[in-house]
Amino acid sequence: MITNPDIAWANRAAKATLLIRILVGWVFLSEGIQKFLFPDALGVRRFVKIVLAAHHRSGPLVSPAHAH
């Protein structure tokens, strides 16, 4: 069976793209869940600890669990 090298590379690229999307999605999902489970460490109070300007405004955008 003779295959076209362009098709083979396209298949590999599609599989690699899918794998990267799944891995990045997993990181975003796990970080988002952690923000809800540990809001003091990863939510609004995180901005207070790192002395971010206007933490009371930017914090709720990052951690909706603590939005007032």
Side-chain angles (χ1 to χ4, degrees), residues 30-42 65:
S30 65
E31 290 295 321
I33 290 171
Q34 288 179 32
K35 283 183 184 181
F36 284 106
L37 294 177
F38 309 108
D40 290 337
L42 300 172

Side-chain angles (χ1 to χ4, degrees), residues 3 5-20:
T3 60
D6 292 335
I7 294 173
W9 279 107
N11 287 336
R12 288 181 187 168
K15 290 177 183 177
T17 301
L18 179 62
L19 178 63
I20 291 169

